[in-house]
Amino acid sequence: MEVIRMIVSLLVITLSLLHTPRNLSTEQKTIASPDSIEQKTREDDTGIVKPTFKESENYNLTMSLRRPNFHKWLIVDGKYEIEHNIRRQLLQNNKRRVMKCLPGSETACQEVLDLALHFLISSYPDRFERITSAEGVDQIYVKGTNEIYEIPNKTAGSSQTQALELAASIAVEDFNIVMEDDNGLHILAAAVSCFPVGWSPEDRVGWPIERMHVSVPLWHSKLGFSVNKFLSRLTVEKPIERSTYFVQVAYPEQSLADIMCQLDPPHGGPKPVSVEQILFRSERQSFRRLPRSNAVLFTVKTSIKYMTELDFEDVEKFRKEMTTWPAEVAAYKGIDLWKDCFVEYYDRLVLQRGNQY
């Protein structure tokens, strides 16, 4: 099973070697108060927040909000070129599935691009540069991939999709724009989601937030009220973030792009034959109010590790948290698919550690 275990790592190396630069022209019932928001976070050296496992004997679905480190709002690390290449291919070949914008979201889409450009150029000047072509066209130069993208002209009647597409092309985060409609409902008004889990912007842009979570166990009874109050009260001055995770099974025939872009429900395949197929997928989610459009920007940074790459402390905490899941939550998380392999792996780790002492 070593070959299976290394499938994603080999794909990463292969993509990195084969990548050729191209020049492009184109929770509770009450909302948490600021003082009660969790302050404890764990970050790796890139600033990606690792999930904090709940160490309670009882399952409790909460929003788990915390104050963000917005100096690391968008991440550019050693995996940037690989993830960027996957996103570029998706936006070129499958844009209809991974991106959609409703009319009326134009100002917010442009605002997202302006924020992303400013942040990336100022935070990573060795990776991004704003330049002007000989014809006077405003452009962004991505140094690591030797690509040049034209920045849409705000006054030239550009499509609302161009600004959001460019933001998602130069960043490796997914961007979702939530707006309030005339009935006071929070609607997903625009999204570019290259690394989703079991959903597509093509299907869900235009949906109220409540409908998007209709299949999530306990969401409506535990979080629905809190999420709506949170979105209504979010201010420009006080952005918020949270993290969450998923367990995913990888198969030998899948490419890295297939693993990262999970448009279909993730638990429909055969059971893994070993723990080396089980991946731990974490998301760092940030929320901020946009000052010009008054929309809410919801970003997602996805990271994937093998379960076998997690520290024993995290594996142990995850094992304990699993035991608190109600039946409907366990089913939603696909536990029947990967539980046997994971528990066998955990028991083996415990035995090995016991033999060391």
Side-chain angles (χ1 to χ4, degrees), residues 37-50:
I37 292 173
E38 294 181 16
Q39 296 298 313
K40 293 182 179 180
T41 61
R42 297 188 305 148
E43 294 188 359
D44 62 17
D45 56 5
T46 66
I48 298 176
V49 177
K50 301 177 182 179

Side-chain angles (χ1 to χ4, degrees), residues 31 68 70 73 107-109 111-112 115 176-181 184-187 189 209 226-241 285-299:
I31 186 68
F70 259 84
W73 173 49
T107 299
C109 290
E111 200 169 2
V112 170
L115 283 171
N176 305 277
I177 295 172
V178 176
M179 302 179 71
E180 194 169 339
D181 69 7
L185 295 175
H186 292 97
I187 304 295
I209 298 301
S226 294
V227 169
N228 278 295
K229 295 293 285 185
F230 163 73
L231 292 172
S232 297
R233 296 181 180 181
L234 189 66
T235 65
V236 174
E237 297 80 13
K238 294 182 178 180
I240 293 295
E241 73 174 28
Q285 304 173 351
S286 73
F287 303 83
R288 65 191 303 171
R289 176 78 63 187
L290 299 176
R292 297 203 305 266
S293 63
N294 201 42
V296 171
L297 172 60
F298 164 36
T299 68

Side-chain angles (χ1 to χ4, degrees), residues 160-205:
Q160 69 262 31
T161 64
Q162 288 182 295
L164 196 62
E165 180 179 355
L166 178 54
S169 297
I170 60 175
V172 291
E173 281 77 6
D174 288 334
F175 295 97
N176 305 277
I177 295 172
V178 176
M179 302 179 71
E180 194 169 339
D181 69 7
D182 295 337
N183 298 315
L185 295 175
H186 292 97
I187 304 295
L188 183 63
V192 53
S193 188
C194 293
F195 299 154
V197 180
W199 71 282
S200 166
E202 178 187 31
D203 301 326
R204 297 197 182 183
V205 165

Side-chain angles (χ1 to χ4, degrees), residues 65-79:
L65 302 175
R66 60 175 173 260
R67 301 196 186 284
N69 179 356
F70 259 84
H71 294 295
K72 296 178 179 178
W73 173 49
L74 304 178
I75 302 297
V76 178
D77 57 16
K79 299 177 183 177

